[in-house]
Amino acid sequence: MSLPDALRVVGLASQAEMALVRRDAVVGALLAQAARAAEGTPAGPLLSEAARLARAEPGREAVRQAALSLCRMGLQEAQADALGRPAGGVP
Amino acid sequence: MSGRLLGQDASVLAAAGADVGVLQEIEAWARRAVAVPGGTPIVDAHVHLGVDRDGHMLSAADLVADLDANAIDAAVAFPADEPGAGGDFRDANRRVIEAAAQYPGRIVPFCRLDPLRSPDAAMAEARDAGARGLKLHPVAQRFRPESAECIHVVRAATDLGWPVLFHAGFGARPLGPAFAGLIEAVPDCRIILAHGGRGDHRAVAAATAGHPGLLFDTSIASLPDLVTVPPERLAFGTDRPYGDYAQALHLVGTAARVAGWDAAAISAVLAGNLLRWIGPVAP
């Protein structure tokens, strides 16, 4: 993953993380964007599933928290790419 | 569908339409992200029990179920933000200490105080009941780490041999000068800065670099912060119920790969650094 691609995902996933924390309705759009930006990378499946959960039932607390966990893991994967980490595999 | 998934009731996630199979695969993958050296215990430095004013909640039974499901040996736990009518956390502290007694060897109880609300009596009560450390939250309880009131309780905790865990995440105030001031006032204190000090990591890391009694916990920390800290200054944590074990283990495993930690460093982060401060989980 190139540095610009990684930074794009980091930016979108960071915004989505805070939107999830704040229970902001914008989270669905942010996660969808992050998932598209991360397609084909280790962060992709994590952000894609977070986006799917957030669409499913965003008002339910357990769903929000599970989406938050997935979003944070996607963010961590993208940050690792930006930092030039050794490959860790795809979930 | 029963059990827990990403720290949540799996049946609730299933009812909401989650693909439980996919989530189970992701959770298992996240756990494998950290190469736990054989025989290494894992101790969570940061868990809230009870019902927080913001609605987050975790019972001791659910915590222990999460520990079992994720092969975590034990957790340091302290009250959520539920100070009670007197504002001194005495009832909440008592409940956490009772939970530790109910699950021996799984929960290490810390007490939580408000330095502005009868801290001496509340600390004495918690000490006598079995507390083994202190948690302070400058944002929730609205005090400054370098204030006279906070210095007073940190000095009292230090005299008891207790580590003090501070919230050091979300918040507007600069943390570098604050914790530098606290350390100057109580040079022998041992403090754990939660969330990798992400609220002001660069400044607080620089301001505390020479202080031997400082750990950053990894709960909901930022990866770029963790990989710039020597692993001997890190302690694994989750911030349950705000974080969960899959994400927390994935974070530590990813940091280990990026920073190139060896097995000894990973063991130290997962438990060794914290256990040197708190002693055996079951004293």
Side-chain angles (χ1 to χ4, degrees):
Chain A
M1 192 177 201
S2 71
L3 182 59
D5 286 345
L7 291 178
R8 184 179 303 109
V9 179
V10 167
L12 289 164
S14 295
Q15 292 176 53
E17 180 193 16
M18 187 50 66
L20 281 161
V21 168
R22 303 289 300 171
R23 298 172 172 83
D24 191 314
V26 76
V27 71
L30 287 171
L31 281 172
Q33 290 179 38
R36 284 196 300 274
E39 272 180 18
T41 76
L46 300 159
L47 293 169
S48 176
E49 196 58 24
R52 209 182 70 78
L53 271 182
R55 282 195 306 273
E57 197 162 349
R60 188 169 287 211
E61 183 61 14
V63 172
R64 184 189 69 86
Q65 297 231 33
L68 187 52
S69 173
L70 294 165
C71 177
R72 284 174 171 151
M73 286 191 276
L75 172 58
Q76 288 158 195
E77 286 292 331
Q79 288 174 325
D81 275 331
L83 289 164
R85 60 92 188 265
V90 178
Chain B
M1 172 58 57
S2 62
R4 295 174 69 75
L5 199 50
L6 298 176
Q8 308 304 314
D9 184 326
S11 65
V12 174
L13 295 178
D19 187 330
V20 170
V22 168
L23 294 185
Q24 285 172 330
E25 287 177 17
I26 288 174
E27 189 170 59
W29 166 84
R31 288 189 196 121
R32 292 194 303 271
V34 57
V36 181
T40 294
I42 306 178
V43 180
D44 183 347
H46 191 142
V47 167
H48 299 265
L49 289 178
V51 182
D52 198 281
R53 287 196 274 209
D54 66 12
H56 285 79
M57 63 182 76
L58 183 66
S59 69
D62 281 347
L63 169 61
V64 172
D66 289 338
L67 297 179
D68 289 342
N70 291 279
I72 309 295
D73 292 82
V76 168
F78 33 78
D81 192 16
E82 46 179 351
D88 57 11
F89 287 93
R90 287 164 93 160
D91 291 341
N93 286 331
R94 191 183 63 252
R95 289 192 289 273
V96 169
I97 293 165
E98 288 170 355
Q102 186 181 357
Y103 296 98
R106 308 304 302 278
I107 297 174
V108 179
F110 277 25
C111 64
R112 181 166 175 167
L113 300 175
D114 182 340
L116 306 175
R117 304 279 190 114
S118 310
D120 293 340
M123 186 184 290
E125 189 174 303
R127 175 203 61 205
D128 293 345
R132 294 170 59 185
L134 173 62
K135 161 68 187 288
L136 295 173
H137 200 307
V139 178
Q141 270 61 64
R142 297 174 184 259
F143 65 88
R144 298 186 182 210
E146 73 276 32
S147 67
E149 294 86 355
C150 182
I151 288 169
H152 172 78
V153 297
V154 171
R155 183 172 288 125
T158 300
D159 289 345
L160 291 174
W162 285 1
V164 183
L165 191 150
F166 276 90
H167 170 81
F170 185 77
R173 293 190 188 285
L175 300 181
F179 285 105
L182 175 64
I183 288 167
E184 184 178 1
V186 191
D188 53 342
C189 69
R190 292 181 300 169
I191 58 178
I192 302 167
L193 297 184
H195 318 307
R198 71 184 288 176
D200 197 5
H201 177 84
R202 197 165 63 150
V204 79
T208 60
H211 181 58
L214 184 128
L215 293 173
F216 293 98
D217 88 30
T218 67
S219 66
I220 314 182
S222 174
L223 180 68
D225 294 340
L226 296 189
V227 299
T228 57
V229 174
E232 60 268 25
R233 285 172 89 84
L234 294 174
F236 171 74
T238 61
D239 197 16
R240 290 285 298 131
Y242 299 88
D244 69 284
Y245 285 104
Q247 177 269 329
L249 290 167
H250 176 266
L251 175 59
V252 168
T254 306
R257 285 203 309 277
V258 171
W261 298 343
D262 62 16
I266 293 170
S267 293
V269 173
L270 291 175
N273 296 333
L274 179 66
L275 291 175
R276 270 203 307 278
W277 282 19
I278 65 173
V281 169

